[in-house]
Amino acid sequence: MFLSRSRSTAASAPVPLYAKVKQAISKQISAGVWRPHDRIPSEAELVAQFGFSRMTINRALRELTDEGLLVRLQGVGTFVAEPKGQSALFEIRSIADEITARHHQHRCEVLKLEQIEADFTQAAALDVEEGTPVFHSVMVHFENDVPVQIEDRCVNAMVAPHYLQQDFTATTPHAYLSLVAPLTEGEHIVEAVKSTPEEQMLLQIDDSEPCLLIHRRTWSTQHIVSHARLLFPGSRYRLQGHFMS
């Protein structure tokens, strides 16, 4: 990385070290080397690259985050933010579509496909009465035989009454629900979490691996169709967005 110096400021005070880091990172982003949602090097990697203290690197990243150029997810990493003036809404896409778009192979293992009575949390998520019969599915999605997502979904049985009869090794819940209850609205809540021992086994990760959890709710007209808890290993997933100006 090369930093230019303005002739008019050559005689002024030296540029602080953290500002040099900010300038270098900003240059990489503006040049398109790092694009929106790309993970940038970690603090430790930037310390090694620049030879500056961790405190200096941390200040640069913190200020760039405050300025809206970066997004930092605790335990996951630091990512290039979406350009200012664009929507921060996430596109509602099928995991199978994401994988095939990368020209990779998708497959799914269905662990649960059942009818249950909604507990308090599930009922609140679907806006139904507690104890209402709802459909519940749990599956693991694979990309080139590597597990990349645990999908734990509750579905409003009144909206999709034939959900349990579907073969979700041949299609996905998202694809099926989009056919029977076309999407009109979606909601995402994203957080970094620690996985349980069972989740670690299913995702083939160890206890130290951070995970990204997306809570997704979808609506069709006035009805909530489903609530999905989507868990990804932090090293195998990055946020993608669909932007509108």
Side-chain angles (χ1 to χ4, degrees):
M1 296 182 187
F2 298 95
L3 304 176
S4 62
R5 177 179 298 178
S6 171
R7 294 178 182 175
S8 62
T9 60
S12 62
V15 176
L17 297 181
Y18 75 88
K20 291 184 178 181
V21 178
K22 289 179 62 178
Q23 290 171 1
I25 292 175
S26 298
K27 182 177 179 181
Q28 294 289 91
I29 294 171
S30 63
V33 177
W34 295 336
R35 302 177 62 81
H37 307 293
D38 282 350
R39 188 200 303 264
I40 73 166
S42 67
E43 281 191 17
E45 290 169 329
L46 291 172
V47 166
Q49 179 179 335
F50 286 95
F52 299 156
S53 70
R54 197 178 191 100
M55 184 180 300
T56 296
I57 299 298
N58 183 270
R59 177 172 177 178
L61 296 179
R62 187 174 66 250
E63 291 196 5
L64 288 171
T65 301
D66 292 342
E67 294 166 10
L69 204 61
L70 298 177
V71 175
R72 306 182 77 183
L73 296 177
Q74 184 65 38
V76 178
T78 302
F79 302 83
V80 178
E82 299 157 9
K84 292 183 179 179
Q86 294 182 319
S87 171
L89 294 175
F90 292 105
E91 183 180 6
I92 306 294
R93 294 187 67 192
S94 162
I95 184 67
D97 290 342
E98 291 184 12
I99 291 171
T100 55
R102 294 190 285 268
H103 305 289
H104 291 173
Q105 295 296 315
H106 167 266
R107 70 176 177 87
C108 175
E109 290 184 3
V110 179
L111 305 181
K112 292 182 181 180
L113 189 58
E114 60 188 356
Q115 178 175 306
I116 61 172
E117 293 185 356
D119 62 21
F120 176 81
T121 302
Q122 294 162 339
L126 294 176
D127 194 24
V128 297
E129 295 291 332
E130 188 172 356
T132 298
V134 299
F135 299 141
H136 177 230
S137 59
V138 179
M139 53 197 71
V140 181
H141 295 276
F142 292 77
E143 180 169 359
N144 293 343
D145 287 326
V146 176
V148 293
Q149 183 196 88
I150 298 174
E151 174 187 328
D152 188 333
R153 185 184 297 266
C154 284
V155 175
N156 187 328
M158 296 295 292
V159 177
H162 303 297
Y163 184 79
L164 298 184
Q165 282 71 57
Q166 305 312 305
D167 178 5
F168 290 121
T169 64
T171 186
T172 63
H174 171 80
Y176 171 70
L177 293 173
S178 295
L179 288 175
V180 300
L183 175 70
T184 59
E185 185 179 350
E187 173 189 80
H188 277 135
I189 299 174
V190 184
E191 58 182 326
V193 299
K194 184 177 176 60
S195 57
T196 66
E198 181 182 3
E199 290 166 341
Q200 292 161 23
M201 179 187 68
L202 293 174
L203 292 173
Q204 299 173 19
I205 58 176
D206 59 38
D207 182 66
S208 64
E209 171 110 20
C211 288
L212 189 67
L213 175 63
I214 298 179
H215 296 275
R216 174 187 291 172
R217 286 201 298 175
T218 54
W219 282 257
S220 184
T221 62
Q222 302 300 313
H223 300 286
I224 297 177
V225 178
S226 75
H227 171 263
R229 181 181 183 274
L230 310 174
L231 186 72
F232 304 83
S235 63
R236 301 176 195 163
Y237 187 77
R238 66 179 184 179
L239 297 175
Q240 293 179 291
H242 175 74
F243 311 123
M244 298 177 62
S245 58

